[in-house]
Amino acid sequence: QEIVDEIIDRYPGRTFFYPKRITNYEPGSQDSKSIEFQQDSLIDMLLLGKASLIIGSHLSSFVECAWWFGQCQSKVIIVGSTNK
């Protein structure tokens, strides 16, 4: 939440987010299988697709789906690619 607050302060009027219902997520936990976690992830993906610029990681299906949901309008920058 601290990072979200910092971004909102840094870019007033230019940010939006959906508050998470599961705040203590740990990879591999049962939380990742809950309907709330899945719904929150889809909402994040839909919101990301609305951005004019998406910065994502190499081979991220999340970033690719967000781009598609945004009607392929966002510029995408991929970081951490293993291709040299």
Side-chain angles (χ1 to χ4, degrees):
Q1 185 60 49
E2 291 174 25
I3 293 170
V4 170
D5 292 339
E6 182 179 332
I7 292 170
I8 289 171
D9 289 344
R10 187 177 293 182
Y11 305 102
R14 296 175 47 197
T15 59
F16 53 96
F17 76 103
Y18 178 80
K20 303 285 185 285
R21 292 175 284 178
I22 296 173
T23 58
N24 57 347
Y25 169 74
E26 292 184 30
S29 70
Q30 283 298 108
D31 289 337
S32 65
K33 297 176 182 150
S34 73
I35 190 71
E36 291 86 4
F37 181 84
Q38 301 299 321
Q39 290 170 338
D40 286 356
S41 296
L42 178 60
I43 290 166
D44 282 346
M45 196 179 298
L46 293 170
L47 289 175
L48 181 59
K50 295 290 186 184
S52 59
L53 172 65
I54 299 174
I55 300 173
S57 58
H58 183 65
L59 297 177
S60 170
S61 58
F62 192 94
V63 167
E64 182 175 357
C65 289
W67 181 73
W68 282 104
F69 283 137
Q71 300 178 331
C72 312
Q73 299 296 310
S74 305
K75 179 180 179 182
V76 179
I77 297 174
I78 301 298
V79 295
S81 173
T82 57
N83 298 334
K84 297 197 179 199

